[in-house]
Amino acid sequence: MQWSLPINIKPPSQLVNYPSKLLFVGSCFSEHIGTGFSDLKFDVLQNPHGILFSPDAITQAFNDYCSARVYGQQDLFELDGIWYSWNHHSRFSDPNPTVVLQRINNSIQQAHQFIQQANFLIVTLGSSFSYRLTDSAKLASKQVNDPVANCHRAPANWFCKELMPIDHLVKSFSFAIQQIKKLNPSLSIFFTISPVRHIRDGVQDNNRSKARLFETIQQLEELDTSLYYFPAYELVVDILRDYRFYDVDLVHPNYAATTFVIDHFMKTCLSPKAQDLAEQIKKIQLAYRHRPQHANSPSHHQFLTQFSEKADTLQKNYPFLDFSDELKHFKAKH
């Protein structure tokens, strides 16, 4: 008996290989995928502005990376003794504005350099809703109706919520992609849509929001055939189709669902040679994380020796890989 729908995922024209450099930008789901690639020793940069959900926030980030924008204190605002940027995640916040600016500008400079050398940009869109400042905010760092990437727990009356028109989304992404391609013409750009349910919007509005993202990507693909869409959303919502693949909040995909998506991404978007190397690295990573019941037993010492030799061999055969932590662990334990 067949327990799930079959899915035939079209591979991209450009396959990921070692030692590809990958930039992940977007929702929290993009960080799960990015961490999976980082664990497999790919050169990864994740969310230089922090987690971003709305397209306006993502395109603003791209504009910052391409122009190597330098933020000043006039671009920040203070709330309850903490300084924030409306364009960044709260992980950049601090009581000292100098610290905030240092974090922001260092991250943008890193992204500017990375995107020029990157092979792949993977963008995960979360929502079509945009939060915009009202005149109640009265902050010099932004104007009324400007979009924000994060509300930073500011008073609700500081914001109005708006479902972005598809034409606006297509136009803003088209401009951002043009700027990125000027900086790095050979960069391959992948889009995904996050399967995370934005349940605060309500079920109906969440579906309307996701639908606009689908249509936006479709129109972008029609304008630029080099763009690639990977169906992360469909894998979770249409193939797995069960609450057991969600966390206790019934909103975020759990470890099993995320692994399912990453596995399909690897099978579809990696070259056969890269898949083989990734499998070898995965085994070494599992050995590195293994915590034995009897650490001093002869069998465990043999286990450590075996994986120390495997890591050492891969390190020599692929000099761009870094197994220094793993080798230190394996050799220190026996």
Coordinates of all heavy atoms in Angstrom, one line a residue, residues 156-199:
A156 N 2.2 47.7 20.1 CA 1.5 47.2 18.9 C 1.0 48.4 18.1 O 1.0 48.3 16.8 CB 0.3 46.4 19.3
N157 N 0.7 49.5 18.7 CA 0.2 50.7 17.9 C 1.3 51.4 17.1 O 1.0 52.3 16.4 CB -0.5 51.7 18.8 CG 0.4 52.4 19.8 OD1 1.5 51.9 20.1 ND2 -0.1 53.4 20.4
W158 N 2.5 50.9 17.2 CA 3.6 51.5 16.4 C 3.6 50.9 15.0 O 4.3 51.4 14.1 CB 5.0 51.1 17.0 CG 5.3 51.9 18.2 CD1 4.5 52.6 19.1 CD2 6.6 52.1 18.8 NE1 5.2 53.2 20.1 CE2 6.5 52.9 19.9 CE3 7.9 51.6 18.4 CZ2 7.6 53.2 20.7 CZ3 9.0 51.9 19.2 CH2 8.9 52.8 20.3
F159 N 2.7 49.9 14.8 CA 2.8 49.2 13.5 C 1.4 49.0 12.9 O 0.4 48.9 13.6 CB 3.4 47.7 13.7 CG 4.7 47.7 14.5 CD1 4.7 47.4 15.8 CD2 5.9 48.0 13.9 CE1 5.8 47.4 16.6 CE2 7.1 48.0 14.6 CZ 7.0 47.7 15.9
C160 N 1.4 48.9 11.6 CA 0.2 48.4 10.8 C 0.7 47.3 10.0 O 1.9 47.2 9.6 CB -0.4 49.5 10.0 SG 0.7 50.1 8.6
K161 N -0.2 46.3 9.8 CA 0.1 45.1 9.1 C -0.5 45.1 7.7 O -1.7 45.4 7.6 CB -0.4 43.9 9.9 CG -0.1 42.5 9.4 CD -0.7 41.5 10.3 CE -0.7 40.1 9.8 NZ -1.4 39.2 10.6
E162 N 0.3 44.8 6.7 CA -0.2 44.9 5.4 C 0.2 43.7 4.5 O 1.4 43.2 4.6 CB 0.4 46.2 4.7 CG -0.1 46.4 3.3 CD 0.4 47.7 2.7 OE1 1.0 48.5 3.5 OE2 0.3 47.9 1.5
L163 N -0.7 43.1 3.8 CA -0.4 42.0 2.9 C 0.1 42.6 1.6 O -0.6 43.3 0.9 CB -1.6 41.1 2.7 CG -1.4 39.8 1.9 CD1 -0.5 38.9 2.7 CD2 -2.8 39.1 1.7
M164 N 1.4 42.3 1.3 CA 2.1 42.9 0.1 C 1.5 42.5 -1.2 O 1.3 41.2 -1.4 CB 3.5 42.6 0.2 CG 4.3 43.3 1.3 SD 4.4 45.1 1.1 CE 3.1 45.7 2.0
P165 N 1.2 43.4 -2.1 CA 0.8 43.0 -3.5 C 1.8 42.2 -4.2 O 3.0 42.5 -4.0 CB 0.5 44.3 -4.2 CG 0.4 45.4 -3.1 CD 1.3 44.8 -2.0
I166 N 1.4 41.3 -5.1 CA 2.4 40.5 -5.8 C 3.2 41.3 -6.7 O 4.5 41.1 -6.8 CB 1.6 39.4 -6.6 CG1 0.9 38.4 -5.7 CG2 2.5 38.7 -7.6 CD1 0.0 37.4 -6.4
D167 N 2.7 42.4 -7.3 CA 3.5 43.2 -8.2 C 4.6 43.9 -7.4 O 5.7 44.0 -8.0 CB 2.6 44.3 -8.8 CG 1.6 43.8 -9.9 OD1 1.8 42.6 -10.3 OD2 0.7 44.5 -10.3
H168 N 4.3 44.3 -6.2 CA 5.4 44.9 -5.4 C 6.5 43.9 -5.1 O 7.7 44.2 -5.1 CB 4.7 45.4 -4.1 CG 5.7 45.8 -3.0 ND1 6.4 47.0 -3.0 CD2 6.2 45.1 -1.9 CE1 7.2 47.1 -2.0 NE2 7.1 46.0 -1.3
L169 N 6.1 42.7 -4.7 CA 7.0 41.7 -4.4 C 7.9 41.3 -5.6 O 9.2 41.2 -5.4 CB 6.3 40.4 -3.9 CG 5.5 40.5 -2.6 CD1 4.8 39.2 -2.3 CD2 6.3 41.0 -1.4
V170 N 7.3 41.2 -6.7 CA 8.1 40.8 -7.9 C 9.1 42.0 -8.3 O 10.2 41.7 -8.6 CB 7.2 40.6 -9.1 CG1 8.0 40.4 -10.4 CG2 6.3 39.3 -8.9
K171 N 8.6 43.2 -8.2 CA 9.4 44.3 -8.5 C 10.6 44.5 -7.6 O 11.8 44.7 -8.0 CB 8.6 45.6 -8.5 CG 9.4 46.9 -8.9 CD 8.5 48.1 -8.9 CE 9.2 49.4 -9.2 NZ 8.3 50.6 -9.2
S172 N 10.4 44.3 -6.3 CA 11.4 44.5 -5.3 C 12.5 43.4 -5.4 O 13.7 43.6 -5.3 CB 10.9 44.6 -3.9 OG 10.1 43.4 -3.5
F173 N 12.0 42.1 -5.6 CA 13.0 41.0 -5.8 C 13.7 41.1 -7.1 O 14.9 40.8 -7.1 CB 12.3 39.7 -5.7 CG 12.2 39.1 -4.3 CD1 11.1 39.0 -3.6 CD2 13.4 38.7 -3.6 CE1 11.0 38.5 -2.3 CE2 13.4 38.3 -2.3 CZ 12.2 38.2 -1.7
S174 N 13.1 41.6 -8.1 CA 13.7 41.7 -9.4 C 14.9 42.7 -9.3 O 16.0 42.5 -9.8 CB 12.8 42.2 -10.5 OG 11.8 41.2 -10.8
F175 N 14.6 43.8 -8.6 CA 15.7 44.8 -8.4 C 16.8 44.3 -7.6 O 18.0 44.4 -7.9 CB 15.1 46.1 -7.8 CG 16.1 47.1 -7.5 CD1 16.6 47.9 -8.5 CD2 16.7 47.3 -6.2 CE1 17.6 48.9 -8.3 CE2 17.6 48.3 -6.0 CZ 18.1 49.1 -7.0
A176 N 16.5 43.6 -6.5 CA 17.5 43.0 -5.7 C 18.4 42.0 -6.4 O 19.6 42.0 -6.3 CB 16.9 42.3 -4.4
I177 N 17.7 41.1 -7.2 CA 18.5 40.1 -8.0 C 19.4 40.8 -9.0 O 20.5 40.3 -9.2 CB 17.5 39.1 -8.7 CG1 16.8 38.3 -7.6 CG2 18.2 38.3 -9.7 CD1 15.6 37.5 -8.2
Q178 N 18.9 41.8 -9.6 CA 19.8 42.6 -10.6 C 21.1 43.1 -9.9 O 22.2 43.0 -10.4 CB 19.0 43.7 -11.2 CG 18.0 43.3 -12.2 CD 17.1 44.5 -12.7 OE1 17.5 45.7 -12.4 NE2 16.0 44.2 -13.3
Q179 N 20.9 43.6 -8.7 CA 22.0 44.2 -7.9 C 23.0 43.0 -7.5 O 24.2 43.2 -7.6 CB 21.6 44.9 -6.7 CG 20.7 46.1 -7.0 CD 21.3 47.1 -7.9 OE1 22.4 47.6 -7.7 NE2 20.6 47.3 -9.0
I180 N 22.4 41.9 -7.1 CA 23.2 40.8 -6.7 C 24.0 40.2 -7.9 O 25.2 40.0 -7.8 CB 22.4 39.7 -6.1 CG1 21.8 40.1 -4.8 CG2 23.2 38.4 -5.9 CD1 20.7 39.2 -4.3
K181 N 23.4 40.1 -9.1 CA 24.0 39.6 -10.3 C 25.1 40.5 -10.8 O 26.1 40.1 -11.4 CB 23.0 39.3 -11.4 CG 22.1 38.1 -11.1 CD 22.9 36.8 -11.1 CE 22.0 35.6 -10.9 NZ 21.3 35.3 -12.1
K182 N 25.0 41.8 -10.5 CA 26.0 42.8 -10.9 C 27.3 42.5 -10.1 O 28.4 42.6 -10.5 CB 25.6 44.2 -10.7 CG 24.6 44.7 -11.7 CD 24.2 46.2 -11.4 CE 23.2 46.7 -12.5 NZ 22.7 48.1 -12.1
L183 N 27.1 42.2 -8.8 CA 28.2 41.9 -7.9 C 28.8 40.5 -8.2 O 30.0 40.4 -8.0 CB 27.7 42.0 -6.5 CG 28.7 42.3 -5.3 CD1 29.4 43.6 -5.5 CD2 28.0 42.3 -4.0
N184 N 27.9 39.6 -8.5 CA 28.4 38.2 -8.8 C 27.6 37.6 -9.9 O 26.6 36.9 -9.6 CB 28.3 37.4 -7.5 CG 28.9 36.0 -7.6 OD1 29.2 35.5 -8.7 ND2 29.1 35.3 -6.5
P185 N 28.0 37.8 -11.2 CA 27.2 37.3 -12.3 C 27.0 35.7 -12.3 O 26.0 35.3 -12.9 CB 27.9 37.8 -13.5 CG 28.8 38.9 -13.0 CD 29.1 38.5 -11.6
S186 N 27.9 35.0 -11.7 CA 27.9 33.5 -11.8 C 27.1 32.9 -10.6 O 27.0 31.7 -10.6 CB 29.3 33.0 -11.8 OG 30.0 33.3 -10.6
L187 N 26.5 33.7 -9.7 CA 25.8 33.2 -8.6 C 24.5 32.5 -9.0 O 23.7 33.0 -9.7 CB 25.5 34.3 -7.6 CG 24.8 34.0 -6.3 CD1 25.8 33.2 -5.4 CD2 24.4 35.2 -5.6
S188 N 24.3 31.3 -8.5 CA 23.1 30.6 -8.7 C 22.1 30.9 -7.5 O 22.5 30.8 -6.4 CB 23.3 29.1 -8.8 OG 24.1 28.7 -9.9
I189 N 20.9 31.3 -7.8 CA 19.9 31.6 -6.8 C 18.8 30.6 -6.7 O 18.1 30.4 -7.7 CB 19.4 33.1 -7.1 CG1 20.5 34.1 -7.1 CG2 18.3 33.5 -6.0 CD1 20.1 35.5 -7.5
F190 N 18.6 30.1 -5.5 CA 17.5 29.1 -5.2 C 16.5 29.8 -4.3 O 16.9 30.5 -3.4 CB 18.0 27.9 -4.5 CG 19.0 27.0 -5.3 CD1 19.5 25.9 -4.7 CD2 19.3 27.3 -6.6 CE1 20.4 25.1 -5.4 CE2 20.2 26.5 -7.4 CZ 20.7 25.4 -6.8
F191 N 15.2 29.6 -4.6 CA 14.1 30.0 -3.7 C 13.5 28.8 -3.1 O 13.3 27.8 -3.7 CB 13.1 30.8 -4.5 CG 13.5 32.3 -4.7 CD1 14.1 32.6 -5.9 CD2 13.2 33.2 -3.7 CE1 14.4 34.0 -6.1 CE2 13.6 34.5 -3.9 CZ 14.2 34.9 -5.1
T192 N 13.1 29.0 -1.8 CA 12.2 28.0 -1.2 C 11.1 28.8 -0.4 O 11.3 30.0 -0.1 CB 12.9 27.1 -0.2 OG1 13.4 27.9 0.9 CG2 14.1 26.4 -0.8
I193 N 10.1 28.1 0.0 CA 9.0 28.7 0.8 C 9.0 27.9 2.1 O 8.9 26.7 2.1 CB 7.7 28.8 0.1 CG1 7.7 29.8 -1.0 CG2 6.6 29.2 1.1 CD1 6.5 29.8 -1.9
S194 N 9.0 28.6 3.2 CA 9.0 28.0 4.5 C 7.7 27.2 4.8 O 6.6 27.8 4.7 CB 9.3 29.0 5.6 OG 9.1 28.4 6.9
P195 N 7.8 26.0 5.3 CA 6.6 25.3 5.7 C 6.1 25.7 7.1 O 5.1 25.1 7.6 CB 7.0 23.8 5.7 CG 8.5 23.9 6.0 CD 9.0 25.1 5.4
V196 N 6.8 26.6 7.8 CA 6.3 27.1 9.1 C 5.0 27.8 8.9 O 4.8 28.7 8.0 CB 7.4 28.0 9.7 CG1 6.8 28.6 11.0 CG2 8.7 27.3 10.0
R197 N 4.0 27.4 9.7 CA 2.7 28.1 9.7 C 2.7 29.4 10.5 O 3.0 29.3 11.7 CB 1.6 27.1 10.2 CG 1.4 25.9 9.4 CD 0.2 25.1 10.0 NE -0.2 24.0 9.1 CZ 0.1 22.7 9.4 NH1 0.8 22.4 10.4 NH2 -0.3 21.8 8.6
H198 N 2.4 30.5 9.9 CA 2.3 31.8 10.6 C 0.9 31.9 11.2 O 0.1 32.6 10.7 CB 2.7 32.9 9.7 CG 4.2 33.0 9.4 ND1 5.0 33.9 9.8 CD2 4.9 32.1 8.6 CE1 6.2 33.7 9.4 NE2 6.2 32.6 8.7
I199 N 0.7 31.1 12.2 CA -0.7 30.9 12.7 C -1.2 32.2 13.4 O -2.4 32.3 13.5 CB -0.7 29.7 13.7 CG1 -2.1 29.1 13.7 CG2 -0.3 30.1 15.1 CD1 -2.5 28.4 12.4

